[in-house]
Amino acid sequence: MRIEETGFPEVKILTPQRFSDQRGWFAETWNRRSFVEDGMSVDFVQDNVSHTGPKGVIRGLHYQADPCAQAKLVQVLRGRVLDVVVDIRRSAPTFGRHVMVELDAASGHMLYVPRGFAHGFCTLEEDVLFAYKVSDYYAPLNDRAILWSDPDLDIPWPVDQAKIIVSAKDGAAPRLQHATGLF
């Protein structure tokens, strides 16, 4: 597996090796031993998949507060997204900054998002299938979001803001300066 740095040393782009033949390809997307060897000691407990039909949908920016904070390993199984990660660790020099990574099914790139970061994505195509492993179970009482359009975050979403589709929950999320359960 090839591992690349992002603007945050803790957030990694992972590209599994694909073994191809006339039938297609095979890739190992997670191996506990390999992750530990690469400094990413995490035990995943739940797998999630989301389907998004329209292009221009934003999901996020989501996180779970302690004691149920989640690390995530995300990948696109069909389509293409712009994935965004925001540092929400108050003591970090990168607090409030973001990194953006394009993920698509064709490349197989995955993104490792450790605890202490909010996560979201924008669909760049129709009919996106997005998968993620998480290190803690969904905990509704610890579920949090930050407003995707927070001007303090200054995220350049690649879609006309008048055409963006968001859930009611994400549209009503607080700005970072008012968010609770930060790290």
Side-chain angles (χ1 to χ4, degrees):
M1 184 167 309
R2 188 175 81 236
I3 300 175
E4 300 171 60
E5 297 286 325
T6 65
F8 302 136
E10 305 85 355
V11 177
K12 311 276 188 203
I13 300 169
L14 302 112
T15 307
Q17 183 178 4
R18 288 183 174 176
F19 300 93
S20 301
D21 63 21
Q22 70 275 13
R23 301 168 296 167
W25 54 263
F26 170 85
E28 182 178 89
T29 59
W30 181 71
N31 178 303
R32 181 189 317 246
R33 181 176 39 227
S34 296
F35 262 59
V36 170
E37 289 170 0
D38 290 321
M40 297 176 284
S41 182
V42 60
D43 288 322
F44 294 112
V45 299
Q46 182 175 314
D47 285 355
N48 303 313
V49 176
S50 70
H51 172 261
T52 306
K55 175 182 176 180
V57 170
I58 293 179
R59 292 182 181 259
L61 301 159
H62 302 146
Y63 64 101
Q64 279 193 181
D66 277 336
C68 302
Q70 296 175 323
K72 298 177 181 177
L73 180 61
V74 302
Q75 65 180 313
V76 174
L77 301 176
R78 182 175 57 227
R80 190 167 59 99
V81 305
L82 180 67
D83 206 89
V84 177
V85 178
V86 177
D87 190 341
I88 57 172
R89 301 169 300 161
R90 291 185 190 275
S91 62
T94 52
F95 175 75
R97 293 193 199 151
H98 67 273
V99 295
M100 301 167 55
V101 177
E102 188 172 308
L103 300 177
D104 61 83
S107 72
H109 295 317
M110 302 184 303
L111 193 65
Y112 174 67
V113 183
R115 293 170 179 90
F117 293 84
H119 171 260
F121 65 89
C122 177
T123 57
L124 301 175
E125 297 178 358
E126 293 182 353
D127 198 28
V128 169
L129 199 57
F130 191 87
Y132 48 109
K133 301 178 99 42
V134 293
S135 64
D136 207 331
Y137 298 102
Y138 175 65
L141 296 177
N142 297 76
D143 188 30
R144 303 285 193 279
I146 297 168
L147 185 63
W148 64 274
S149 60
D150 183 338
D152 294 333
L153 299 179
D154 196 28
I155 298 170
W157 297 103
V159 179
D160 179 350
Q161 288 206 5
K163 296 180 180 178
I164 288 174
I165 302 167
V166 297
S167 70
K169 171 189 158 187
D170 290 348
R175 292 176 56 180
L176 179 63
Q177 64 184 334
H178 301 297
T180 61
L182 300 178
F183 298 84

